[in-house]
CSV table of all heavy atoms in Angstrom, one decimal:
chain,number,residue,atom,x,y,z
C,922,ALA,N,6.2,-1.3,4.1
C,922,ALA,CA,6.0,-1.6,2.7
C,922,ALA,C,6.2,-0.4,1.8
C,922,ALA,O,6.8,-0.5,0.7
C,922,ALA,CB,4.6,-2.1,2.5
C,923,LEU,N,5.8,0.8,2.3
C,923,LEU,CA,6.1,2.0,1.6
C,923,LEU,C,7.6,2.3,1.4
C,923,LEU,O,8.0,2.7,0.3
C,923,LEU,CB,5.4,3.2,2.2
C,923,LEU,CG,3.9,3.3,2.1
C,923,LEU,CD1,3.4,4.5,3.0
C,923,LEU,CD2,3.4,3.5,0.7
C,924,ILE,N,8.3,2.1,2.5
C,924,ILE,CA,9.7,2.4,2.5
C,924,ILE,C,10.4,1.4,1.5
C,924,ILE,O,11.3,1.8,0.7
C,924,ILE,CB,10.3,2.3,3.9
C,924,ILE,CG1,9.8,3.4,4.8
C,924,ILE,CG2,11.8,2.3,3.8
C,924,ILE,CD1,10.2,3.3,6.2
C,925,ASN,N,10.0,0.2,1.5
C,925,ASN,CA,10.6,-0.8,0.6
C,925,ASN,C,10.3,-0.4,-0.9
C,925,ASN,O,11.1,-0.6,-1.7
C,925,ASN,CB,10.0,-2.2,0.9
C,925,ASN,CG,10.6,-2.8,2.2
C,925,ASN,OD1,11.7,-2.4,2.6
C,925,ASN,ND2,9.8,-3.7,2.8
C,926,ASP,N,9.1,0.1,-1.1
C,926,ASP,CA,8.7,0.5,-2.4
C,926,ASP,C,9.6,1.7,-2.9
C,926,ASP,O,10.0,1.8,-4.0
C,926,ASP,CB,7.2,0.9,-2.4
C,926,ASP,CG,6.6,0.6,-3.8
C,926,ASP,OD1,7.3,0.1,-4.7
C,926,ASP,OD2,5.4,0.9,-4.0
C,927,ILE,N,9.9,2.6,-1.9
C,927,ILE,CA,10.7,3.8,-2.3
C,927,ILE,C,12.1,3.3,-2.6
C,927,ILE,O,12.8,3.8,-3.5
C,927,ILE,CB,10.7,4.8,-1.1
C,927,ILE,CG1,9.4,5.4,-0.9
C,927,ILE,CG2,11.8,5.9,-1.3
C,927,ILE,CD1,9.3,6.3,0.3
C,928,LEU,N,12.6,2.3,-1.8
C,928,LEU,CA,14.0,1.9,-2.1
C,928,LEU,C,14.1,1.1,-3.4
C,928,LEU,O,15.2,1.0,-3.9
C,928,LEU,CB,14.5,1.0,-0.9
C,928,LEU,CG,14.6,1.7,0.5
C,928,LEU,CD1,15.0,0.8,1.6
C,928,LEU,CD2,15.6,2.9,0.4
C,929,ASP,N,13.0,0.5,-3.8
C,929,ASP,CA,13.1,-0.2,-5.1
C,929,ASP,C,13.0,0.7,-6.3
C,929,ASP,O,12.0,0.7,-7.0
C,929,ASP,CB,12.0,-1.3,-5.1
C,929,ASP,CG,12.1,-2.3,-6.2
C,929,ASP,OD1,13.2,-2.2,-6.9
C,929,ASP,OD2,11.2,-3.0,-6.5
C,930,MET,N,14.0,1.5,-6.5
C,930,MET,CA,14.0,2.5,-7.5
C,930,MET,C,14.1,1.9,-8.9
C,930,MET,O,13.9,2.7,-9.9
C,930,MET,CB,15.1,3.5,-7.3
C,930,MET,CG,15.0,4.3,-6.0
C,930,MET,SD,13.5,5.2,-5.8
C,930,MET,CE,13.6,6.4,-7.1
C,931,SER,N,14.4,0.7,-9.0
C,931,SER,CA,14.4,0.1,-10.4
C,931,SER,C,13.1,0.1,-11.1
C,931,SER,O,13.0,0.2,-12.3
C,931,SER,CB,14.9,-1.4,-10.3
C,931,SER,OG,14.0,-2.2,-9.5
C,932,LYS,N,12.0,0.1,-10.3
C,932,LYS,CA,10.6,0.2,-10.9
C,932,LYS,C,10.5,1.6,-11.5
C,932,LYS,O,9.8,1.8,-12.5
C,932,LYS,CB,9.6,0.0,-9.8
C,932,LYS,CG,9.6,-1.4,-9.2
C,932,LYS,CD,8.6,-1.5,-8.1
C,932,LYS,CE,8.7,-2.9,-7.4
C,932,LYS,NZ,7.8,-3.0,-6.2
C,933,ILE,N,11.0,2.6,-10.8
C,933,ILE,CA,10.9,3.9,-11.3
C,933,ILE,C,11.8,4.1,-12.6
C,933,ILE,O,11.4,4.8,-13.5
C,933,ILE,CB,11.2,5.0,-10.2
C,933,ILE,CG1,10.5,4.7,-8.9
C,933,ILE,CG2,11.0,6.4,-10.7
C,933,ILE,CD1,9.0,4.7,-9.1
C,934,GLU,N,13.0,3.6,-12.5
C,934,GLU,CA,13.9,3.7,-13.6
C,934,GLU,C,13.3,3.2,-14.9
C,934,GLU,O,13.4,3.8,-16.0
C,934,GLU,CB,15.2,3.0,-13.3
C,934,GLU,CG,16.0,3.6,-12.1
C,934,GLU,CD,16.6,4.9,-12.4
C,934,GLU,OE1,16.6,5.3,-13.6
C,934,GLU,OE2,17.1,5.6,-11.5
C,935,SER,N,12.6,2.1,-14.8
C,935,SER,CA,12.0,1.4,-16.0
C,935,SER,C,10.7,2.0,-16.4
C,935,SER,O,10.1,1.7,-17.4
C,935,SER,CB,11.9,-0.1,-15.8
C,935,SER,OG,10.9,-0.3,-14.7
C,936,GLY,N,10.1,2.9,-15.5
C,936,GLY,CA,8.8,3.5,-15.8
C,936,GLY,C,7.7,2.5,-15.6
C,936,GLY,O,6.6,2.8,-16.1
C,937,LYS,N,7.9,1.4,-14.9
C,937,LYS,CA,6.9,0.4,-14.7
C,937,LYS,C,6.6,0.2,-13.2
C,937,LYS,O,7.6,0.0,-12.4
C,937,LYS,CB,7.2,-0.9,-15.4
C,937,LYS,CG,7.4,-0.8,-16.9
C,937,LYS,CD,7.8,-2.2,-17.5
C,937,LYS,CE,7.9,-2.1,-19.0
C,937,LYS,NZ,8.3,-3.4,-19.6
C,938,MET,N,5.4,0.2,-12.8
C,938,MET,CA,5.0,-0.2,-11.4
C,938,MET,C,4.1,-1.4,-11.5
C,938,MET,O,3.0,-1.4,-12.0
C,938,MET,CB,4.3,0.9,-10.8
C,938,MET,CG,5.1,2.2,-10.6
C,938,MET,SD,6.5,2.0,-9.5
C,938,MET,CE,5.6,1.9,-7.9
C,939,VAL,N,4.7,-2.6,-11.1
C,939,VAL,CA,3.9,-3.9,-11.3
C,939,VAL,C,2.9,-4.0,-10.2
C,939,VAL,O,3.1,-3.8,-9.0
C,939,VAL,CB,4.9,-5.0,-11.2
C,939,VAL,CG1,4.2,-6.4,-11.4
C,939,VAL,CG2,6.0,-4.9,-12.3
C,940,LEU,N,1.6,-4.3,-10.6
C,940,LEU,CA,0.6,-4.5,-9.7
C,940,LEU,C,0.6,-6.0,-9.2
C,940,LEU,O,0.6,-6.9,-10.0
C,940,LEU,CB,-0.8,-4.2,-10.3
C,940,LEU,CG,-1.0,-2.7,-10.7
C,940,LEU,CD1,-2.4,-2.5,-11.4
C,940,LEU,CD2,-1.0,-1.8,-9.4
C,941,LYS,N,0.6,-6.2,-7.9
C,941,LYS,CA,0.6,-7.5,-7.3
C,941,LYS,C,-0.8,-8.1,-7.3
C,941,LYS,O,-1.8,-7.4,-7.1
C,941,LYS,CB,1.2,-7.5,-5.9
C,941,LYS,CG,2.7,-6.9,-5.9
C,941,LYS,CD,3.2,-6.9,-4.5
C,941,LYS,CE,4.6,-6.3,-4.4
C,941,LYS,NZ,5.1,-6.1,-3.0
C,942,LYS,N,-0.9,-9.4,-7.4
C,942,LYS,CA,-2.1,-10.1,-7.3
C,942,LYS,C,-2.0,-11.1,-6.1
C,942,LYS,O,-1.4,-12.2,-6.2
C,942,LYS,CB,-2.5,-10.9,-8.5
C,942,LYS,CG,-2.8,-10.0,-9.7
C,942,LYS,CD,-3.2,-10.8,-10.9
C,942,LYS,CE,-3.6,-9.9,-12.1
C,942,LYS,NZ,-4.0,-10.6,-13.3
C,943,LYS,N,-2.4,-10.6,-4.9
C,943,LYS,CA,-2.3,-11.4,-3.7
C,943,LYS,C,-3.5,-11.2,-2.9
C,943,LYS,O,-4.1,-10.2,-2.7
C,943,LYS,CB,-1.0,-10.9,-2.9
C,943,LYS,CG,-0.7,-11.6,-1.7
C,943,LYS,CD,0.5,-11.0,-1.0
C,943,LYS,CE,0.8,-11.8,0.3
C,943,LYS,NZ,2.0,-11.2,1.0
C,944,ALA,N,-4.0,-12.4,-2.3
C,944,ALA,CA,-5.2,-12.3,-1.4
C,944,ALA,C,-4.9,-11.5,-0.2
C,944,ALA,O,-3.8,-11.6,0.5
C,944,ALA,CB,-5.6,-13.7,-1.1
C,945,PHE,N,-5.8,-10.7,0.3
C,945,PHE,CA,-5.7,-9.9,1.5
C,945,PHE,C,-7.0,-9.8,2.2
C,945,PHE,O,-8.1,-9.9,1.6
C,945,PHE,CB,-5.0,-8.5,1.2
C,945,PHE,CG,-5.9,-7.6,0.4
C,945,PHE,CD1,-6.7,-6.7,1.0
C,945,PHE,CD2,-5.8,-7.7,-1.0
C,945,PHE,CE1,-7.5,-5.8,0.2
C,945,PHE,CE2,-6.6,-6.8,-1.8
C,945,PHE,CZ,-7.4,-5.9,-1.2
C,946,ASP,N,-6.9,-9.6,3.5
C,946,ASP,CA,-8.1,-9.5,4.3
C,946,ASP,C,-8.7,-8.1,4.1
C,946,ASP,O,-8.2,-7.1,4.6
C,946,ASP,CB,-7.7,-9.7,5.8
C,946,ASP,CG,-8.9,-9.7,6.7
C,946,ASP,OD1,-10.0,-9.2,6.4
C,946,ASP,OD2,-8.8,-10.3,7.8
C,947,PHE,N,-9.8,-8.1,3.4
C,947,PHE,CA,-10.4,-6.8,3.0
C,947,PHE,C,-11.0,-6.1,4.2
C,947,PHE,O,-11.0,-4.8,4.3
C,947,PHE,CB,-11.5,-7.0,1.9
C,947,PHE,CG,-12.0,-5.7,1.3
C,947,PHE,CD1,-11.2,-4.9,0.5
C,947,PHE,CD2,-13.3,-5.3,1.6
C,947,PHE,CE1,-11.6,-3.8,0.0
C,947,PHE,CE2,-13.8,-4.1,1.0
C,947,PHE,CZ,-12.9,-3.4,0.2
C,948,ALA,N,-11.6,-6.8,5.1
C,948,ALA,CA,-12.2,-6.2,6.3
C,948,ALA,C,-11.1,-5.5,7.1
C,948,ALA,O,-11.3,-4.4,7.6
C,948,ALA,CB,-12.9,-7.2,7.1
C,949,ALA,N,-10.0,-6.2,7.3
C,949,ALA,CA,-8.9,-5.6,8.1
C,949,ALA,C,-8.3,-4.5,7.3
C,949,ALA,O,-7.9,-3.5,7.9
C,949,ALA,CB,-7.8,-6.7,8.3
C,950,PHE,N,-8.3,-4.6,6.0
C,950,PHE,CA,-7.7,-3.5,5.1
C,950,PHE,C,-8.5,-2.2,5.4
C,950,PHE,O,-8.0,-1.1,5.6
C,950,PHE,CB,-7.8,-3.9,3.7
C,950,PHE,CG,-7.6,-2.8,2.7
C,950,PHE,CD1,-6.3,-2.4,2.4
C,950,PHE,CD2,-8.7,-2.1,2.1
C,950,PHE,CE1,-6.1,-1.4,1.5
C,950,PHE,CE2,-8.5,-1.1,1.2
C,950,PHE,CZ,-7.2,-0.7,0.9
C,951,ILE,N,-9.9,-2.3,5.4
C,951,ILE,CA,-10.7,-1.1,5.6
C,951,ILE,C,-10.5,-0.6,7.0
C,951,ILE,O,-10.5,0.6,7.3
C,951,ILE,CB,-12.2,-1.4,5.4
C,951,ILE,CG1,-12.4,-1.8,3.9
C,951,ILE,CG2,-13.1,-0.3,5.8
C,951,ILE,CD1,-12.1,-0.6,2.9
C,952,ARG,N,-10.5,-1.5,8.0
C,952,ARG,CA,-10.3,-1.1,9.4
C,952,ARG,C,-9.0,-0.3,9.6
C,952,ARG,O,-8.9,0.8,10.2
C,952,ARG,CB,-10.4,-2.2,10.4
C,952,ARG,CG,-11.8,-2.8,10.6
C,952,ARG,CD,-11.8,-3.6,11.9
C,952,ARG,NE,-10.9,-4.8,11.8
C,952,ARG,CZ,-11.3,-6.0,11.2
C,952,ARG,NH1,-12.5,-6.1,10.7
C,952,ARG,NH2,-10.4,-6.9,11.2
C,953,ASN,N,-7.9,-0.9,9.1
C,953,ASN,CA,-6.6,-0.3,9.2
C,953,ASN,C,-6.6,1.1,8.5
C,953,ASN,O,-5.9,2.0,9.0
C,953,ASN,CB,-5.5,-1.2,8.7
C,953,ASN,CG,-5.4,-2.5,9.5
C,953,ASN,OD1,-5.7,-2.5,10.6
C,953,ASN,ND2,-4.9,-3.5,8.8
C,954,LEU,N,-7.2,1.2,7.4
C,954,LEU,CA,-7.2,2.4,6.6
C,954,LEU,C,-7.9,3.5,7.4
C,954,LEU,O,-7.4,4.6,7.5
C,954,LEU,CB,-7.9,2.2,5.2
C,954,LEU,CG,-8.0,3.4,4.3
C,954,LEU,CD1,-6.7,3.9,3.9
C,954,LEU,CD2,-8.9,3.1,3.1
C,955,THR,N,-9.1,3.2,7.9
C,955,THR,CA,-9.9,4.2,8.6
C,955,THR,C,-9.3,4.6,9.9
C,955,THR,O,-9.5,5.7,10.3
C,955,THR,CB,-11.4,3.7,8.8
C,955,THR,OG1,-11.3,2.5,9.5
C,955,THR,CG2,-12.1,3.5,7.4
C,956,THR,N,-8.6,3.6,10.5
C,956,THR,CA,-7.9,3.9,11.8
C,956,THR,C,-7.0,5.1,11.6
C,956,THR,O,-6.8,6.0,12.5
C,956,THR,CB,-7.2,2.7,12.3
C,956,THR,OG1,-8.1,1.7,12.6
C,956,THR,CG2,-6.4,3.0,13.6
C,957,MET,N,-6.3,5.2,10.5
C,957,MET,CA,-5.3,6.2,10.3
C,957,MET,C,-5.9,7.6,10.3
C,957,MET,O,-5.2,8.6,10.6
C,957,MET,CB,-4.6,6.0,8.9
C,957,MET,CG,-3.8,4.7,8.8
C,957,MET,SD,-3.0,4.6,7.2
C,957,MET,CE,-2.4,3.0,7.2
C,958,PHE,N,-7.2,7.7,10.0
C,958,PHE,CA,-7.8,9.0,9.8
C,958,PHE,C,-8.7,9.5,10.9
C,958,PHE,O,-9.1,10.6,11.0
C,958,PHE,CB,-8.5,9.1,8.5
C,958,PHE,CG,-7.6,9.0,7.3
C,958,PHE,CD1,-7.5,7.8,6.6
C,958,PHE,CD2,-6.9,10.1,6.8
C,958,PHE,CE1,-6.6,7.7,5.5
C,958,PHE,CE2,-6.1,10.1,5.8
C,958,PHE,CZ,-5.9,8.8,5.1
C,959,TYR,N,-9.1,8.5,11.8
C,959,TYR,CA,-10.1,8.9,12.8
C,959,TYR,C,-9.4,9.9,13.8
C,959,TYR,O,-10.1,10.9,14.2
C,959,TYR,CB,-10.5,7.7,13.6
C,959,TYR,CG,-11.8,7.1,13.1
C,959,TYR,CD1,-11.8,5.9,12.4
C,959,TYR,CD2,-13.0,7.7,13.3
C,959,TYR,CE1,-13.0,5.3,11.9
C,959,TYR,CE2,-14.2,7.2,12.8
C,959,TYR,CZ,-14.2,6.0,12.1
C,959,TYR,OH,-15.3,5.4,11.6
C,960,ALA,N,-8.2,9.7,14.1
C,960,ALA,CA,-7.5,10.6,15.1
C,960,ALA,C,-7.4,12.0,14.5
C,960,ALA,O,-7.7,13.0,15.1
C,960,ALA,CB,-6.1,10.1,15.4
C,961,GLN,N,-7.0,12.1,13.2
C,961,GLN,CA,-7.0,13.4,12.5
C,961,GLN,C,-8.3,14.1,12.5
C,961,GLN,O,-8.4,15.3,12.7
C,961,GLN,CB,-6.4,13.2,11.1
C,961,GLN,CG,-5.0,12.7,11.0
C,961,GLN,CD,-4.5,12.6,9.6
C,961,GLN,OE1,-4.7,13.5,8.8
C,961,GLN,NE2,-3.9,11.5,9.2
C,962,ALA,N,-9.3,13.3,12.2
C,962,ALA,CA,-10.7,13.9,12.1
C,962,ALA,C,-11.1,14.4,13.4
C,962,ALA,O,-11.7,15.5,13.5
C,962,ALA,CB,-11.7,12.9,11.5
């Protein structure tokens, strides 16, 4: 998703970054986020 965002340079050219409104699993969101940092810590 990050790479797709980088490739979509039209958002940067126009100076606008559109915020999406989409349902997502908040519990999984927190787990996935913290997983990234446990190893580093």
Side-chain angles (χ1 to χ4, degrees):
L923 286 176
I924 293 174
N925 288 335
D926 211 1
I927 293 174
L928 296 177
D929 189 9
M930 297 304 292
S931 62
K932 299 176 183 178
I933 309 302
E934 297 288 351
S935 63
K937 298 179 180 179
M938 297 295 289
V939 179
L940 293 177
K941 300 177 182 177
K942 292 184 179 181
K943 182 179 179 182
F945 64 96
D946 188 336
F947 189 67
F950 169 81
I951 295 297
R952 283 197 301 272
N953 294 335
L954 177 67
T955 56
T956 295
M957 296 182 191
F958 293 99
Y959 267 109
Q961 296 182 46

